[in-house]
Amino acid sequence: MLHESIFPHTFLQILEYKSQNVSTADVFFPSSSFFFPSSDLLPAMDGDTKTMTFLQEVVDILLAYIVESFDRETKVIDFHYPNELLQMNNWELQDEPATLDDILISCRATLKYAIKTAHPRYFNQLSTGLDMVGLAADWLTSTANTNMFTYEVAPVFVLLEYVSLKKMREIIGWPDGRGDGIFSPGGAISNMYAMLLARFKMFPEVKEKGMSSVPRLVAFTSEHSHFSIKKGAAALGIGTESVICIKADERGDLETYCNNNTTGALRAALGFVLVQGFVPFFVSATAGTTVYGAFDPLIAISDICKKYNIWMHVDGAWGGSLLMSRRHRWKLDGVERANSVTWNPHKMMSVPLQCSALLVREEGLMQNCNQMHACYLFQQDKHYDLSYDTGDKALQCGRHVDIFKLWLMWRAKGTIGFEAQIDKCLELSEYLYNKIKDREGYEMVFDGKPQHTNVCFWYLPPGIRYMEDKEEKKKHLHKVAPVIKARMMEYGTTMVSYQPQGDKVNFFRMVISNPAATFQDIDFLIEEIERLGQDL
């Protein structure tokens, strides 16, 4: 009865004070200070009011930050060098507890120097933007504070993962959404899961006897694939030297077939491996490479995998969300023939980090590969359907609830909402490409319209634009993108990534996944690059 009387009354008071622009801290604690320790909060006796007031102050800080993040007049970043930032605030941990006043100061300082990833002019990573429903779901998830390993401790979340994974498998094109899957801590782990399953499928004895029981295994991927493929091979004891990187064409596509349409680089590499007596077991095709945004030819690759009985994985961490778009899903034609697919909704779908799914065509394989029958968690005489105790098919024991953000956003937007969001980002990238492809001072890294939202280009400042010595020009051009990027961060106006690729010197890699971005923001970016680089 205590909670029934105090909580509604206090909450109504808070709403009333907020409508009058009165600080709740001034009402409940007239000194406007929180000079008491966290031990006074719940579950402390009579800690209800203090808890609600403290959390309301935290919410005020968060809401102010959210509103500011979408304001184009604010900085994307308040940049300071690491040694400066260390000295500006007391970040050290101490033995004695701090007051909640200090805790609130720390919250404000943390957000003051954080990158505003929701800012409409933040383009630095593949994961950008901030969805309000997704944020609400993340808050709820943290409040529930449970683990995904069994139905008994996460009944709703386990069911939501079940229905969401099934829906994603249907979108891939697997009949009736059959198969398996799991949400993991990012695309790198999802890719490693796929490699683990491929090895177990071919050599199930490796689970108990280890790598000494199997022949030398070899995996194949594009030279433009994500580094996690090699990292997974290293972690699983297969070794990075056992990952053969197939040469990609100028646009970053995997060259499955040569000009004569009979033999391809992948087929040739397979032949070489077989002659050596090694066993090809895994091909990772990429749907949306990290730098160029290229899509490997999945149908052609699946034909080869079928012929040689090799597990076909599609790393769609970046490009998998295009399956939601009727206009663009053709770029993943053949994905339904894959054995497994990585799909990161925290990228193009703007689900708050982290949210990565591995989808598997064969049901039960994950369970057989990973289960350890821990009897203190997965008792076999429980009173409900044990298939909903999903923890034993995961490598982790403790597993964060990542599903609720995606599920709640899907409910709020519908599939058509995600489709519109994705289509808009691709329209913005095409707009940028069309604006700069023939613009003085710009040079595209490869010819033709990008397949994804990645737009890769060089900006050539006036000082090097007409250099005749090609090597000298290349040397100077290599320094341009890093300097402009540093100036972007120092002014705080925008952020865009850059990198070299092979024999190509540093270039800008513009990616658009931020739903807040507009055509005007693209125009601003072009003008800002020119402003910051005009004297180079």
Side-chain angles (χ1 to χ4, degrees):
M1 294 300 296
L2 178 66
H3 285 183
E4 289 179 9
S5 59
I6 290 179
F7 270 87
H9 175 67
T10 307
F11 182 66
L12 289 174
Q13 282 182 307
I14 290 172
L15 290 178
E16 178 66 22
Y17 297 136
K18 287 297 172 188
S19 68
Q20 300 172 12
N21 292 320
V22 175
S23 169
T24 51
D26 291 338
V27 176
F28 291 108
F29 301 97
S31 64
S32 296
S33 298
F34 290 81
F35 291 122
F36 52 86
S38 63
S39 56
D40 285 0
L41 303 178
L42 288 174
M45 185 69 69
D46 298 325
D48 307 52
T49 301
K50 288 183 177 180
T51 297
M52 292 190 69
T53 309
F54 168 70
L55 290 180
Q56 188 63 48
E57 285 297 309
V58 174
V59 169
D60 287 347
I61 293 170
L62 296 176
L63 292 178
Y65 178 78
I66 291 167
V67 172
E68 188 179 71
S69 292
F70 289 95
D71 184 355
R72 288 172 174 81
E73 298 302 313
T74 63
K75 291 184 175 183
V76 175
I77 175 178
D78 184 0
F79 179 76
H80 295 273
Y81 290 97
N83 60 325
E84 295 175 341
L85 197 53
L86 280 171
Q87 294 170 12
M88 290 171 66
N89 291 275
N90 180 16
W91 307 105
E92 297 300 323
L93 299 172
Q94 62 274 334
D95 294 332
E96 296 300 316
T99 66
L100 291 181
D101 206 44
D102 291 328
I103 297 303
L104 292 172
I105 290 171
S106 295
C107 289
R108 293 187 186 96
T110 299
L111 289 178
K112 174 177 172 57
Y113 301 112
I115 312 298
K116 293 183 180 67
T117 58
H119 197 288
R121 292 169 181 169
Y122 176 77
F123 305 106
N124 205 65
Q125 308 301 142
L126 303 184
S127 304
T128 62
L130 182 62
D131 185 271
M132 296 302 104
V133 174
L135 176 62
D138 216 3
W139 288 352
L140 186 148
T141 296
S142 293
T143 304
N145 192 33
T146 193
N147 200 314
M148 283 295 288
F149 44 40
T150 61
Y151 177 83
E152 67 181 278
V153 298
V156 176
F157 296 135
V158 165
L159 292 179
L160 296 184
E161 185 172 75
Y162 171 81
V163 299
S164 300
L165 289 171
K166 184 174 185 291
K167 181 67 173 179
M168 294 170 82
R169 292 193 297 266
E170 289 174 356
I171 291 172
I172 287 172
W174 293 334
D176 301 320
R178 290 193 298 270
D180 208 341
I182 200 164
F183 283 85
S184 74
I189 302 300
S190 293
N191 287 339
M192 188 175 74
Y193 264 119
M195 188 175 285
L196 178 70
L197 293 173
R199 184 178 66 178
F200 178 78
K201 175 71 174 177
M202 186 171 284
F203 296 103
E205 64 270 22
V206 75
K207 177 178 177 179
E208 295 181 355
K209 297 180 181 178
M211 286 297 292
S212 61
S213 66
V214 301
R216 168 92 179 260
L217 302 179
V218 178
F220 303 84
T221 192
S222 163
E223 64 176 345
H224 285 229
S225 66
H226 195 261
F227 65 84
S228 60
I229 303 301
K230 283 192 171 184
K231 186 167 280 192
L236 295 175
I238 294 166
T240 58
E241 290 185 359
S242 293
V243 178
I244 295 180
C245 294
I246 307 300
K247 182 174 174 56
D249 64 20
E250 185 184 84
R251 295 172 55 88
D253 297 331
L254 192 64
E255 284 189 68
T256 307
Y257 294 101
C258 294
N259 293 332
N260 61 10
N261 253 357
T262 56
T263 323
L266 175 57
R267 199 184 298 272
L270 278 164
F272 174 78
V273 164
L274 291 169
V275 168
Q276 300 297 312
F278 304 148
V279 178
F281 81 108
F282 181 80
V283 173
S284 179
T286 309
T289 58
T290 305
V291 179
Y292 287 177
F295 288 78
D296 288 338
L298 303 184
I299 294 175
I301 292 171
S302 67
D303 287 341
I304 293 175
C305 289
K306 182 178 181 180
K307 177 179 179 179
Y308 290 90
N309 194 29
I310 302 172
W311 183 284
M312 178 184 171
H313 173 64
V314 175
D315 177 7
W318 175 222
S321 295
L322 269 61
L323 289 168
M324 305 287 277
S325 167
R326 285 166 291 185
R327 190 184 306 173
H328 295 284
R329 68 166 289 137
W330 63 269
K331 297 169 186 177
L332 289 97
D333 282 352
V335 67
E336 73 282 354
R337 299 172 67 176
N339 298 95
S340 57
V341 177
T342 292
W343 180 348
N344 284 10
H346 69 230
K347 291 190 169 81
M348 281 297 290
M349 295 166 72
S350 293
V351 176
L353 286 159
Q354 61 195 9
C355 188
S356 173
L358 176 74
L359 295 312
V360 183
R361 192 168 62 187
E362 182 176 338
E363 190 172 2
L365 185 64
M366 292 191 75
Q367 187 80 10
N368 292 333
C369 178
N370 296 323
Q371 65 183 352
M372 290 296 163
H373 307 287
C375 60
Y376 59 87
L377 282 177
F378 308 112
Q379 302 91 339
Q380 296 303 296
D381 51 0
K382 292 181 180 181
H383 61 290
Y384 57 81
D385 184 348
L386 297 180
S387 67
Y388 292 102
D389 281 0
T390 57
D392 214 9
K393 68 182 179 183
L395 289 176
Q396 303 162 258
C397 178
R399 189 161 65 91
H400 187 262
V401 178
D402 293 329
I403 181 54
F404 192 61
K405 298 170 290 189
L406 172 61
W407 181 85
L408 202 65
M409 284 177 63
W410 210 321
R411 294 277 282 195
K413 293 175 182 286
T415 304
I416 61 172
F418 277 128
E419 178 182 36
Q421 176 180 311
I422 290 163
D423 286 350
K424 176 194 169 188
C425 289
L426 282 143
E427 286 171 12
L428 289 175
S429 67
E430 186 171 355
Y431 175 77
L432 172 61
Y433 168 73
N434 288 331
K435 287 268 298 189
I436 66 174
K437 65 177 181 177
D438 298 318
R439 188 182 182 99
E440 185 179 10
Y442 290 85
E443 185 178 330
M444 307 310 297
V445 172
F446 55 83
D447 294 330
K449 187 173 72 173
Q451 294 177 284
H452 205 343
T453 70
N454 309 52
V455 182
C456 300
F457 61 91
W458 289 284
Y459 173 67
L460 287 75
I464 68 171
R465 202 167 293 172
Y466 305 108
M467 282 186 177
E468 295 183 1
D469 187 323
K470 290 185 178 180
E471 286 304 314
E472 190 68 17
K473 185 177 183 178
K474 189 175 179 181
K475 181 180 176 181
H476 280 77
L477 184 57
H478 186 63
K479 300 175 182 178
V480 170
V483 172
I484 293 178
K485 173 65 177 289
R487 291 176 177 179
M488 285 178 178
M489 295 179 69
E490 288 166 0
Y491 282 102
T493 52
T494 186
M495 287 180 67
V496 181
S497 182
Y498 74 87
Q499 69 283 302
Q501 179 77 38
D503 61 351
K504 295 178 172 63
V505 299
N506 282 324
F507 56 86
F508 287 109
R509 180 207 62 170
M510 174 68 171
V511 287
I512 304 171
S513 61
N514 192 339
T518 64
F519 294 108
Q520 290 74 27
D521 295 313
I522 302 302
D523 292 337
F524 174 86
L525 173 73
I526 296 170
E527 293 167 4
E528 188 68 357
I529 287 174
E530 293 171 358
R531 181 182 76 86
L532 297 174
Q534 63 183 343
D535 63 332
L536 297 178

